[in-house]
Amino acid sequence: MSGEHAQRHPANRWPPRPQAFRPVMERFFHACVNTADAVLHAFAIALETPREFFVEKHAAHDHTMRVLHYPALGKAGQDDAAKPRAGGHTDYGSITLLFQDDVGGLEVRTLDGEWRFAPPIPGTVLINTGDLMQRWTNDVFRSTPHRVGASLAENAERDRYSVAFFCHPDMDAEIACLDSCHGESKPAKYPPITAHEHLMERLGATYG
């Protein structure tokens, strides 16, 4: 689902049952907006940028939330256990909030190219930085390559569920290197681009 006033999405289509699904998901979406704003405040403070800088660039709430289901591998699927269930990628936007159950399977790639298991921690939200935050910060905060591999061996016969909240700037927001992230010894690597232009570039590269 997306925000009701998002700039790039058609209206959400809701299933007729269960009746409580829509109000529950809408409340959860708004809770994610508040959580993402708190993270964006922290990022701005850490980067010596005005506290509201990032939140103001996300004022349209042009975010997307996906409720994800990975069917159990089961005993018959153990031969496929080494194959990624979702291939390696980075997220397009600024940050992603990931809520995952205890089945496991998320992997992240280190700077040396090694894939490492990211075990689920009860009661926590995992934060991924995305491509636009990397551009904004001139690689101070790098976009996180990640994928979904096999579940923990003891959970191979359980379904895996997760919720991903993709936090994306307003379509007309300019993504230009922050003053605190470049200088004579560290020139800006990326030219300014709008969030919409970047999205179109990424979608074009992904789907041709």
Side-chain angles (χ1 to χ4, degrees):
M1 65 175 287
S2 59
E4 295 298 328
H5 303 292
Q7 301 173 3
R8 64 185 172 104
H9 298 289
N12 294 311
R13 300 176 64 184
W14 298 97
R17 296 186 304 274
Q19 292 185 352
F21 181 77
R22 177 173 180 173
V24 167
M25 295 307 294
E26 287 180 332
R27 288 197 299 271
F28 186 66
F29 185 94
H30 290 298
C32 287
V33 170
N34 292 335
T35 302
D37 285 352
V39 174
L40 292 172
H41 280 145
F43 274 38
I45 293 170
L47 294 164
E48 301 178 349
T49 298
R51 183 175 184 272
E52 300 297 325
F53 175 83
F54 290 122
V55 171
E56 290 173 351
K57 299 293 187 181
H58 295 74
H61 297 168
D62 195 25
H63 313 312
T64 303
M65 185 166 69
R66 297 180 64 192
V67 181
L68 303 167
H69 171 224
Y70 299 85
L73 290 171
K75 294 180 180 179
Q78 291 304 301
D79 291 342
D80 294 328
K83 299 177 181 178
R85 307 183 75 185
H89 63 282
T90 57
D91 295 335
Y92 300 166
S94 50
I95 61 172
T96 300
L97 311 183
L98 180 66
F99 305 81
Q100 53 179 336
D101 60 17
D102 62 347
V103 171
L106 180 68
E107 300 174 357
V108 297
R109 194 177 70 197
T110 64
L111 292 178
D112 59 9
E114 179 183 357
W115 288 100
R116 293 190 177 181
F117 181 56
I121 302 173
T124 65
V125 182
L126 187 146
I127 309 296
N128 276 335
T129 50
D131 297 339
L132 289 181
M133 187 59 70
Q134 178 167 323
R135 292 184 71 115
W136 249 325
T137 66
N138 207 27
D139 292 355
V140 173
F141 292 145
R142 292 176 179 267
S143 190
T144 311
H146 55 284
R147 68 184 184 186
V148 178
S151 303
L152 294 170
E154 62 269 26
N155 294 327
E157 296 184 51
R158 292 175 56 194
D159 295 87
R160 178 182 187 268
Y161 295 92
S162 65
V163 179
F165 182 83
F166 301 101
C167 185
H168 198 276
D170 302 347
M171 288 293 101
D172 58 356
E174 182 183 60
I175 314 302
C177 183
L178 300 174
D179 290 341
S180 63
C181 296
H182 71 92
E184 291 185 6
S185 61
K186 189 178 182 181
K189 296 182 179 180
Y190 310 102
I193 194 171
T194 67
H196 180 262
E197 290 168 342
H198 177 264
L199 178 64
M200 293 299 100
E201 285 184 6
R202 287 300 309 270
L203 291 175
T206 302
Y207 300 108

PDB file of all heavy atoms in Angstrom, residues 35-70:
ATOM      1  N   THR A  35       7.751   6.639  12.689  1.00  0.00           N
ATOM      2  CA  THR A  35       9.041   6.013  12.987  1.00  0.00           C
ATOM      3  C   THR A  35      10.106   6.459  11.985  1.00  0.00           C
ATOM      4  O   THR A  35      11.231   6.790  12.361  1.00  0.00           O
ATOM      5  CB  THR A  35       8.912   4.484  12.970  1.00  0.00           C
ATOM      6  OG1 THR A  35       7.926   4.079  13.929  1.00  0.00           O
ATOM      7  CG2 THR A  35      10.234   3.814  13.303  1.00  0.00           C
ATOM      8  N   ALA A  36       9.731   6.458  10.698  1.00  0.00           N
ATOM      9  CA  ALA A  36      10.683   6.897   9.671  1.00  0.00           C
ATOM     10  C   ALA A  36      11.102   8.344   9.888  1.00  0.00           C
ATOM     11  O   ALA A  36      12.286   8.694   9.737  1.00  0.00           O
ATOM     12  CB  ALA A  36      10.064   6.719   8.281  1.00  0.00           C
ATOM     13  N   ASP A  37      10.152   9.205  10.264  1.00  0.00           N
ATOM     14  CA  ASP A  37      10.485  10.608  10.520  1.00  0.00           C
ATOM     15  C   ASP A  37      11.490  10.728  11.676  1.00  0.00           C
ATOM     16  O   ASP A  37      12.412  11.561  11.634  1.00  0.00           O
ATOM     17  CB  ASP A  37       9.229  11.408  10.835  1.00  0.00           C
ATOM     18  CG  ASP A  37       8.390  11.707   9.602  1.00  0.00           C
ATOM     19  OD1 ASP A  37       8.869  11.429   8.484  1.00  0.00           O
ATOM     20  OD2 ASP A  37       7.268  12.218   9.769  1.00  0.00           O
ATOM     21  N   ALA A  38      11.322   9.896  12.691  1.00  0.00           N
ATOM     22  CA  ALA A  38      12.268   9.931  13.817  1.00  0.00           C
ATOM     23  C   ALA A  38      13.668   9.520  13.366  1.00  0.00           C
ATOM     24  O   ALA A  38      14.666  10.117  13.780  1.00  0.00           O
ATOM     25  CB  ALA A  38      11.781   9.009  14.935  1.00  0.00           C
ATOM     26  N   VAL A  39      13.742   8.510  12.506  1.00  0.00           N
ATOM     27  CA  VAL A  39      15.038   8.085  11.980  1.00  0.00           C
ATOM     28  C   VAL A  39      15.643   9.193  11.115  1.00  0.00           C
ATOM     29  O   VAL A  39      16.847   9.489  11.197  1.00  0.00           O
ATOM     30  CB  VAL A  39      14.898   6.775  11.179  1.00  0.00           C
ATOM     31  CG1 VAL A  39      16.219   6.404  10.510  1.00  0.00           C
ATOM     32  CG2 VAL A  39      14.421   5.635  12.080  1.00  0.00           C
ATOM     33  N   LEU A  40      14.814   9.826  10.287  1.00  0.00           N
ATOM     34  CA  LEU A  40      15.307  10.900   9.424  1.00  0.00           C
ATOM     35  C   LEU A  40      15.789  12.094  10.250  1.00  0.00           C
ATOM     36  O   LEU A  40      16.765  12.759   9.886  1.00  0.00           O
ATOM     37  CB  LEU A  40      14.215  11.329   8.445  1.00  0.00           C
ATOM     38  CG  LEU A  40      13.853  10.284   7.379  1.00  0.00           C
ATOM     39  CD1 LEU A  40      12.637  10.744   6.588  1.00  0.00           C
ATOM     40  CD2 LEU A  40      15.022  10.010   6.442  1.00  0.00           C
ATOM     41  N   HIS A  41      15.119  12.369  11.362  1.00  0.00           N
ATOM     42  CA  HIS A  41      15.614  13.412  12.270  1.00  0.00           C
ATOM     43  C   HIS A  41      17.011  13.058  12.774  1.00  0.00           C
ATOM     44  O   HIS A  41      17.913  13.914  12.813  1.00  0.00           O
ATOM     45  CB  HIS A  41      14.667  13.557  13.468  1.00  0.00           C
ATOM     46  CG  HIS A  41      13.437  14.357  13.186  1.00  0.00           C
ATOM     47  ND1 HIS A  41      12.213  14.069  13.746  1.00  0.00           N
ATOM     48  CD2 HIS A  41      13.229  15.457  12.400  1.00  0.00           C
ATOM     49  CE1 HIS A  41      11.320  14.942  13.329  1.00  0.00           C
ATOM     50  NE2 HIS A  41      11.908  15.788  12.506  1.00  0.00           N
ATOM     51  N   ALA A  42      17.182  11.802  13.168  1.00  0.00           N
ATOM     52  CA  ALA A  42      18.483  11.364  13.685  1.00  0.00           C
ATOM     53  C   ALA A  42      19.562  11.467  12.613  1.00  0.00           C
ATOM     54  O   ALA A  42      20.695  11.890  12.898  1.00  0.00           O
ATOM     55  CB  ALA A  42      18.378   9.932  14.203  1.00  0.00           C
ATOM     56  N   PHE A  43      19.221  11.076  11.389  1.00  0.00           N
ATOM     57  CA  PHE A  43      20.184  11.192  10.297  1.00  0.00           C
ATOM     58  C   PHE A  43      20.604  12.650  10.106  1.00  0.00           C
ATOM     59  O   PHE A  43      21.794  12.958   9.940  1.00  0.00           O
ATOM     60  CB  PHE A  43      19.576  10.655   8.995  1.00  0.00           C
ATOM     61  CG  PHE A  43      19.729   9.184   8.793  1.00  0.00           C
ATOM     62  CD1 PHE A  43      19.618   8.295   9.853  1.00  0.00           C
ATOM     63  CD2 PHE A  43      19.951   8.659   7.524  1.00  0.00           C
ATOM     64  CE1 PHE A  43      19.744   6.925   9.665  1.00  0.00           C
ATOM     65  CE2 PHE A  43      20.091   7.297   7.325  1.00  0.00           C
ATOM     66  CZ  PHE A  43      19.983   6.427   8.394  1.00  0.00           C
ATOM     67  N   ALA A  44      19.640  13.553  10.101  1.00  0.00           N
ATOM     68  CA  ALA A  44      19.944  14.968   9.879  1.00  0.00           C
ATOM     69  C   ALA A  44      20.863  15.507  10.968  1.00  0.00           C
ATOM     70  O   ALA A  44      21.833  16.225  10.688  1.00  0.00           O
ATOM     71  CB  ALA A  44      18.643  15.772   9.829  1.00  0.00           C
ATOM     72  N   ILE A  45      20.578  15.168  12.217  1.00  0.00           N
ATOM     73  CA  ILE A  45      21.415  15.633  13.324  1.00  0.00           C
ATOM     74  C   ILE A  45      22.831  15.091  13.191  1.00  0.00           C
ATOM     75  O   ILE A  45      23.818  15.813  13.369  1.00  0.00           O
ATOM     76  CB  ILE A  45      20.785  15.216  14.665  1.00  0.00           C
ATOM     77  CG1 ILE A  45      19.465  15.967  14.880  1.00  0.00           C
ATOM     78  CG2 ILE A  45      21.754  15.467  15.825  1.00  0.00           C
ATOM     79  CD1 ILE A  45      18.645  15.457  16.036  1.00  0.00           C
ATOM     80  N   ALA A  46      22.944  13.796  12.849  1.00  0.00           N
ATOM     81  CA  ALA A  46      24.265  13.185  12.705  1.00  0.00           C
ATOM     82  C   ALA A  46      25.062  13.825  11.575  1.00  0.00           C
ATOM     83  O   ALA A  46      26.298  13.878  11.632  1.00  0.00           O
ATOM     84  CB  ALA A  46      24.122  11.687  12.456  1.00  0.00           C
ATOM     85  N   LEU A  47      24.363  14.317  10.562  1.00  0.00           N
ATOM     86  CA  LEU A  47      25.023  14.896   9.396  1.00  0.00           C
ATOM     87  C   LEU A  47      25.182  16.415   9.497  1.00  0.00           C
ATOM     88  O   LEU A  47      25.539  17.065   8.510  1.00  0.00           O
ATOM     89  CB  LEU A  47      24.225  14.543   8.132  1.00  0.00           C
ATOM     90  CG  LEU A  47      24.209  13.054   7.781  1.00  0.00           C
ATOM     91  CD1 LEU A  47      23.103  12.749   6.782  1.00  0.00           C
ATOM     92  CD2 LEU A  47      25.563  12.615   7.218  1.00  0.00           C
ATOM     93  N   GLU A  48      24.918  16.958  10.691  1.00  0.00           N
ATOM     94  CA  GLU A  48      25.053  18.395  10.939  1.00  0.00           C
ATOM     95  C   GLU A  48      24.227  19.210   9.940  1.00  0.00           C
ATOM     96  O   GLU A  48      24.674  20.230   9.390  1.00  0.00           O
ATOM     97  CB  GLU A  48      26.529  18.808  10.894  1.00  0.00           C
ATOM     98  CG  GLU A  48      27.385  18.084  11.922  1.00  0.00           C
ATOM     99  CD  GLU A  48      28.851  18.447  11.840  1.00  0.00           C
ATOM    100  OE1 GLU A  48      29.249  19.113  10.854  1.00  0.00           O
ATOM    101  OE2 GLU A  48      29.619  18.080  12.752  1.00  0.00           O
ATOM    102  N   THR A  49      23.002  18.736   9.745  1.00  0.00           N
ATOM    103  CA  THR A  49      22.049  19.347   8.831  1.00  0.00           C
ATOM    104  C   THR A  49      20.823  19.761   9.646  1.00  0.00           C
ATOM    105  O   THR A  49      20.533  19.131  10.669  1.00  0.00           O
ATOM    106  CB  THR A  49      21.650  18.318   7.743  1.00  0.00           C
ATOM    107  OG1 THR A  49      22.830  17.960   7.005  1.00  0.00           O
ATOM    108  CG2 THR A  49      20.630  18.874   6.774  1.00  0.00           C
ATOM    109  N   PRO A  50      20.095  20.818   9.277  1.00  0.00           N
ATOM    110  CA  PRO A  50      18.900  21.186  10.039  1.00  0.00           C
ATOM    111  C   PRO A  50      18.000  19.975  10.311  1.00  0.00           C
ATOM    112  O   PRO A  50      17.770  19.148   9.425  1.00  0.00           O
ATOM    113  CB  PRO A  50      18.218  22.213   9.128  1.00  0.00           C
ATOM    114  CG  PRO A  50      19.346  22.868   8.409  1.00  0.00           C
ATOM    115  CD  PRO A  50      20.348  21.767   8.167  1.00  0.00           C
ATOM    116  N   ARG A  51      17.497  19.885  11.535  1.00  0.00           N
ATOM    117  CA  ARG A  51      16.788  18.692  12.002  1.00  0.00           C
ATOM    118  C   ARG A  51      15.638  18.286  11.083  1.00  0.00           C
ATOM    119  O   ARG A  51      15.391  17.094  10.880  1.00  0.00           O
ATOM    120  CB  ARG A  51      16.266  18.941  13.422  1.00  0.00           C
ATOM    121  CG  ARG A  51      15.555  17.754  14.074  1.00  0.00           C
ATOM    122  CD  ARG A  51      15.188  18.081  15.510  1.00  0.00           C
ATOM    123  NE  ARG A  51      14.587  16.941  16.185  1.00  0.00           N
ATOM    124  CZ  ARG A  51      13.293  16.660  16.169  1.00  0.00           C
ATOM    125  NH1 ARG A  51      12.455  17.456  15.518  1.00  0.00           N
ATOM    126  NH2 ARG A  51      12.823  15.603  16.817  1.00  0.00           N
ATOM    127  N   GLU A  52      14.916  19.241  10.532  1.00  0.00           N
ATOM    128  CA  GLU A  52      13.735  18.937   9.719  1.00  0.00           C
ATOM    129  C   GLU A  52      14.064  18.742   8.241  1.00  0.00           C
ATOM    130  O   GLU A  52      13.146  18.527   7.438  1.00  0.00           O
ATOM    131  CB  GLU A  52      12.703  20.065   9.853  1.00  0.00           C
ATOM    132  CG  GLU A  52      12.206  20.290  11.269  1.00  0.00           C
ATOM    133  CD  GLU A  52      11.466  19.073  11.814  1.00  0.00           C
ATOM    134  OE1 GLU A  52      10.786  18.389  11.037  1.00  0.00           O
ATOM    135  OE2 GLU A  52      11.586  18.807  13.025  1.00  0.00           O
ATOM    136  N   PHE A  53      15.338  18.791   7.865  1.00  0.00           N
ATOM    137  CA  PHE A  53      15.694  18.774   6.446  1.00  0.00           C
ATOM    138  C   PHE A  53      15.090  17.575   5.718  1.00  0.00           C
ATOM    139  O   PHE A  53      14.387  17.722   4.715  1.00  0.00           O
ATOM    140  CB  PHE A  53      17.217  18.780   6.276  1.00  0.00           C
ATOM    141  CG  PHE A  53      17.658  18.650   4.844  1.00  0.00           C
ATOM    142  CD1 PHE A  53      17.702  19.763   4.024  1.00  0.00           C
ATOM    143  CD2 PHE A  53      18.008  17.409   4.312  1.00  0.00           C
ATOM    144  CE1 PHE A  53      18.095  19.653   2.685  1.00  0.00           C
ATOM    145  CE2 PHE A  53      18.402  17.292   2.982  1.00  0.00           C
ATOM    146  CZ  PHE A  53      18.444  18.408   2.170  1.00  0.00           C
ATOM    147  N   PHE A  54      15.371  16.361   6.185  1.00  0.00           N
ATOM    148  CA  PHE A  54      14.899  15.173   5.479  1.00  0.00           C
ATOM    149  C   PHE A  54      13.382  15.004   5.596  1.00  0.00           C
ATOM    150  O   PHE A  54      12.717  14.621   4.626  1.00  0.00           O
ATOM    151  CB  PHE A  54      15.599  13.916   6.011  1.00  0.00           C
ATOM    152  CG  PHE A  54      17.049  13.819   5.652  1.00  0.00           C
ATOM    153  CD1 PHE A  54      18.009  13.723   6.644  1.00  0.00           C
ATOM    154  CD2 PHE A  54      17.466  13.812   4.327  1.00  0.00           C
ATOM    155  CE1 PHE A  54      19.354  13.628   6.326  1.00  0.00           C
ATOM    156  CE2 PHE A  54      18.809  13.725   3.991  1.00  0.00           C
ATOM    157  CZ  PHE A  54      19.761  13.638   5.003  1.00  0.00           C
ATOM    158  N   VAL A  55      12.836  15.285   6.772  1.00  0.00           N
ATOM    159  CA  VAL A  55      11.384  15.131   6.956  1.00  0.00           C
ATOM    160  C   VAL A  55      10.621  16.056   6.006  1.00  0.00           C
ATOM    161  O   VAL A  55       9.613  15.658   5.408  1.00  0.00           O
ATOM    162  CB  VAL A  55      11.006  15.415   8.420  1.00  0.00           C
ATOM    163  CG1 VAL A  55       9.485  15.477   8.591  1.00  0.00           C
ATOM    164  CG2 VAL A  55      11.576  14.331   9.332  1.00  0.00           C
ATOM    165  N   GLU A  56      11.113  17.279   5.823  1.00  0.00           N
ATOM    166  CA  GLU A  56      10.459  18.201   4.893  1.00  0.00           C
ATOM    167  C   GLU A  56      10.536  17.701   3.453  1.00  0.00           C
ATOM    168  O   GLU A  56       9.648  18.006   2.648  1.00  0.00           O
ATOM    169  CB  GLU A  56      11.091  19.584   5.009  1.00  0.00           C
ATOM    170  CG  GLU A  56      10.768  20.283   6.326  1.00  0.00           C
ATOM    171  CD  GLU A  56      11.520  21.585   6.508  1.00  0.00           C
ATOM    172  OE1 GLU A  56      12.439  21.871   5.687  1.00  0.00           O
ATOM    173  OE2 GLU A  56      11.201  22.324   7.466  1.00  0.00           O
ATOM    174  N   LYS A  57      11.562  16.936   3.133  1.00  0.00           N
ATOM    175  CA  LYS A  57      11.694  16.375   1.787  1.00  0.00           C
ATOM    176  C   LYS A  57      10.803  15.137   1.593  1.00  0.00           C
ATOM    177  O   LYS A  57      10.717  14.606   0.484  1.00  0.00           O
ATOM    178  CB  LYS A  57      13.157  15.985   1.512  1.00  0.00           C
ATOM    179  CG  LYS A  57      14.150  17.138   1.566  1.00  0.00           C
ATOM    180  CD  LYS A  57      13.946  18.134   0.442  1.00  0.00           C
ATOM    181  CE  LYS A  57      15.058  19.181   0.432  1.00  0.00           C
ATOM    182  NZ  LYS A  57      14.858  20.186  -0.649  1.00  0.00           N
ATOM    183  N   HIS A  58      10.162  14.679   2.660  1.00  0.00           N
ATOM    184  CA  HIS A  58       9.272  13.518   2.601  1.00  0.00           C
ATOM    185  C   HIS A  58       7.850  13.891   3.015  1.00  0.00           C
ATOM    186  O   HIS A  58       7.073  13.049   3.469  1.00  0.00           O
ATOM    187  CB  HIS A  58       9.789  12.412   3.525  1.00  0.00           C
ATOM    188  CG  HIS A  58      11.110  11.832   3.134  1.00  0.00           C
ATOM    189  ND1 HIS A  58      12.300  12.503   3.314  1.00  0.00           N
ATOM    190  CD2 HIS A  58      11.439  10.636   2.577  1.00  0.00           C
ATOM    191  CE1 HIS A  58      13.303  11.749   2.886  1.00  0.00           C
ATOM    192  NE2 HIS A  58      12.808  10.613   2.436  1.00  0.00           N
ATOM    193  N   ALA A  59       7.486  15.149   2.819  1.00  0.00           N
ATOM    194  CA  ALA A  59       6.215  15.657   3.348  1.00  0.00           C
ATOM    195  C   ALA A  59       4.994  15.029   2.679  1.00  0.00           C
ATOM    196  O   ALA A  59       3.926  14.939   3.288  1.00  0.00           O
ATOM    197  CB  ALA A  59       6.166  17.179   3.197  1.00  0.00           C
ATOM    198  N   ALA A  60       5.115  14.585   1.433  1.00  0.00           N
ATOM    199  CA  ALA A  60       3.969  14.002   0.724  1.00  0.00           C
ATOM    200  C   ALA A  60       3.694  12.565   1.143  1.00  0.00           C
ATOM    201  O   ALA A  60       2.700  11.983   0.709  1.00  0.00           O
ATOM    202  CB  ALA A  60       4.194  14.068  -0.786  1.00  0.00           C
ATOM    203  N   HIS A  61       4.569  12.014   1.959  1.00  0.00           N
ATOM    204  CA  HIS A  61       4.437  10.604   2.396  1.00  0.00           C
ATOM    205  C   HIS A  61       4.291   9.672   1.197  1.00  0.00           C
ATOM    206  O   HIS A  61       3.428   8.805   1.153  1.00  0.00           O
ATOM    207  CB  HIS A  61       3.238  10.434   3.343  1.00  0.00           C
ATOM    208  CG  HIS A  61       3.386  11.206   4.603  1.00  0.00           C
ATOM    209  ND1 HIS A  61       2.335  11.388   5.482  1.00  0.00           N
ATOM    210  CD2 HIS A  61       4.458  11.878   5.140  1.00  0.00           C
ATOM    211  CE1 HIS A  61       2.756  12.120   6.517  1.00  0.00           C
ATOM    212  NE2 HIS A  61       4.037  12.425   6.324  1.00  0.00           N
ATOM    213  N   ASP A  62       5.171   9.868   0.231  1.00  0.00           N
ATOM    214  CA  ASP A  62       5.157   9.070  -0.992  1.00  0.00           C
ATOM    215  C   ASP A  62       5.869   7.745  -0.749  1.00  0.00           C
ATOM    216  O   ASP A  62       6.819   7.382  -1.439  1.00  0.00           O
ATOM    217  CB  ASP A  62       5.837   9.859  -2.111  1.00  0.00           C
ATOM    218  CG  ASP A  62       5.564   9.274  -3.483  1.00  0.00           C
ATOM    219  OD1 ASP A  62       4.533   8.599  -3.646  1.00  0.00           O
ATOM    220  OD2 ASP A  62       6.387   9.487  -4.389  1.00  0.00           O
ATOM    221  N   HIS A  63       5.427   7.038   0.269  1.00  0.00           N
ATOM    222  CA  HIS A  63       6.054   5.799   0.697  1.00  0.00           C
ATOM    223  C   HIS A  63       5.253   4.595   0.211  1.00  0.00           C
ATOM    224  O   HIS A  63       4.093   4.721  -0.201  1.00  0.00           O
ATOM    225  CB  HIS A  63       6.154   5.745   2.227  1.00  0.00           C
ATOM    226  CG  HIS A  63       6.676   6.994   2.857  1.00  0.00           C
ATOM    227  ND1 HIS A  63       7.806   7.641   2.407  1.00  0.00           N
ATOM    228  CD2 HIS A  63       6.225   7.726   3.912  1.00  0.00           C
ATOM    229  CE1 HIS A  63       8.033   8.708   3.151  1.00  0.00           C
ATOM    230  NE2 HIS A  63       7.084   8.790   4.072  1.00  0.00           N
ATOM    231  N   THR A  64       5.870   3.443   0.273  1.00  0.00           N
ATOM    232  CA  THR A  64       5.207   2.193  -0.097  1.00  0.00           C
ATOM    233  C   THR A  64       5.437   1.170   0.998  1.00  0.00           C
ATOM    234  O   THR A  64       6.560   1.040   1.505  1.00  0.00           O
ATOM    235  CB  THR A  64       5.763   1.636  -1.434  1.00  0.00           C
ATOM    236  OG1 THR A  64       5.600   2.616  -2.457  1.00  0.00           O
ATOM    237  CG2 THR A  64       5.037   0.361  -1.831  1.00  0.00           C
ATOM    238  N   MET A  65       4.401   0.426   1.331  1.00  0.00           N
ATOM    239  CA  MET A  65       4.538  -0.655   2.308  1.00  0.00           C
ATOM    240  C   MET A  65       4.107  -1.970   1.666  1.00  0.00           C
ATOM    241  O   MET A  65       3.057  -2.042   1.033  1.00  0.00           O
ATOM    242  CB  MET A  65       3.690  -0.380   3.557  1.00  0.00           C
ATOM    243  CG  MET A  65       3.887  -1.418   4.658  1.00  0.00           C
ATOM    244  SD  MET A  65       3.196  -0.865   6.241  1.00  0.00           S
ATOM    245  CE  MET A  65       1.429  -0.921   5.855  1.00  0.00           C
ATOM    246  N   ARG A  66       4.947  -2.973   1.822  1.00  0.00           N
ATOM    247  CA  ARG A  66       4.664  -4.301   1.256  1.00  0.00           C
ATOM    248  C   ARG A  66       4.607  -5.326   2.371  1.00  0.00           C
ATOM    249  O   ARG A  66       5.490  -5.380   3.229  1.00  0.00           O
ATOM    250  CB  ARG A  66       5.737  -4.693   0.244  1.00  0.00           C
ATOM    251  CG  ARG A  66       5.820  -3.779  -0.966  1.00  0.00           C
ATOM    252  CD  ARG A  66       6.914  -4.231  -1.918  1.00  0.00           C
ATOM    253  NE  ARG A  66       6.625  -5.543  -2.472  1.00  0.00           N
ATOM    254  CZ  ARG A  66       7.507  -6.283  -3.145  1.00  0.00           C
ATOM    255  NH1 ARG A  66       8.743  -5.843  -3.295  1.00  0.00           N
ATOM    256  NH2 ARG A  66       7.174  -7.446  -3.632  1.00  0.00           N
ATOM    257  N   VAL A  67       3.553  -6.125   2.333  1.00  0.00           N
ATOM    258  CA  VAL A  67       3.394  -7.234   3.272  1.00  0.00           C
ATOM    259  C   VAL A  67       3.802  -8.494   2.516  1.00  0.00           C
ATOM    260  O   VAL A  67       3.176  -8.865   1.527  1.00  0.00           O
ATOM    261  CB  VAL A  67       1.942  -7.338   3.769  1.00  0.00           C
ATOM    262  CG1 VAL A  67       1.778  -8.476   4.771  1.00  0.00           C
ATOM    263  CG2 VAL A  67       1.507  -6.013   4.400  1.00  0.00           C
ATOM    264  N   LEU A  68       4.872  -9.142   2.956  1.00  0.00           N
ATOM    265  CA  LEU A  68       5.535 -10.188   2.181  1.00  0.00           C
ATOM    266  C   LEU A  68       5.379 -11.562   2.826  1.00  0.00           C
ATOM    267  O   LEU A  68       5.475 -11.700   4.047  1.00  0.00           O
ATOM    268  CB  LEU A  68       7.024  -9.866   2.035  1.00  0.00           C
ATOM    269  CG  LEU A  68       7.319  -8.503   1.388  1.00  0.00           C
ATOM    270  CD1 LEU A  68       8.778  -8.135   1.563  1.00  0.00           C
ATOM    271  CD2 LEU A  68       6.948  -8.529  -0.085  1.00  0.00           C
ATOM    272  N   HIS A  69       5.157 -12.560   1.975  1.00  0.00           N
ATOM    273  CA  HIS A  69       5.020 -13.950   2.430  1.00  0.00           C
ATOM    274  C   HIS A  69       5.953 -14.831   1.605  1.00  0.00           C
ATOM    275  O   HIS A  69       5.917 -14.806   0.376  1.00  0.00           O
ATOM    276  CB  HIS A  69       3.573 -14.421   2.252  1.00  0.00           C
ATOM    277  CG  HIS A  69       3.388 -15.884   2.492  1.00  0.00           C
ATOM    278  ND1 HIS A  69       2.611 -16.679   1.661  1.00  0.00           N
ATOM    279  CD2 HIS A  69       3.884 -16.720   3.455  1.00  0.00           C
ATOM    280  CE1 HIS A  69       2.637 -17.927   2.101  1.00  0.00           C
ATOM    281  NE2 HIS A  69       3.403 -17.976   3.185  1.00  0.00           N
ATOM    282  N   TYR A  70       6.800 -15.579   2.291  1.00  0.00           N
ATOM    283  CA  TYR A  70       7.688 -16.553   1.655  1.00  0.00           C
ATOM    284  C   TYR A  70       7.222 -17.946   2.102  1.00  0.00           C
ATOM    285  O   TYR A  70       7.362 -18.284   3.280  1.00  0.00           O
ATOM    286  CB  TYR A  70       9.138 -16.330   2.076  1.00  0.00           C
ATOM    287  CG  TYR A  70       9.691 -14.967   1.706  1.00  0.00           C
ATOM    288  CD1 TYR A  70       9.477 -13.866   2.539  1.00  0.00           C
ATOM    289  CD2 TYR A  70      10.412 -14.774   0.545  1.00  0.00           C
ATOM    290  CE1 TYR A  70       9.976 -12.615   2.213  1.00  0.00           C
ATOM    291  CE2 TYR A  70      10.918 -13.528   0.209  1.00  0.00           C
ATOM    292  CZ  TYR A  70      10.702 -12.449   1.052  1.00  0.00           C
ATOM    293  OH  TYR A  70      11.194 -11.206   0.722  1.00  0.00           O
TER     294      TYR A  70
END
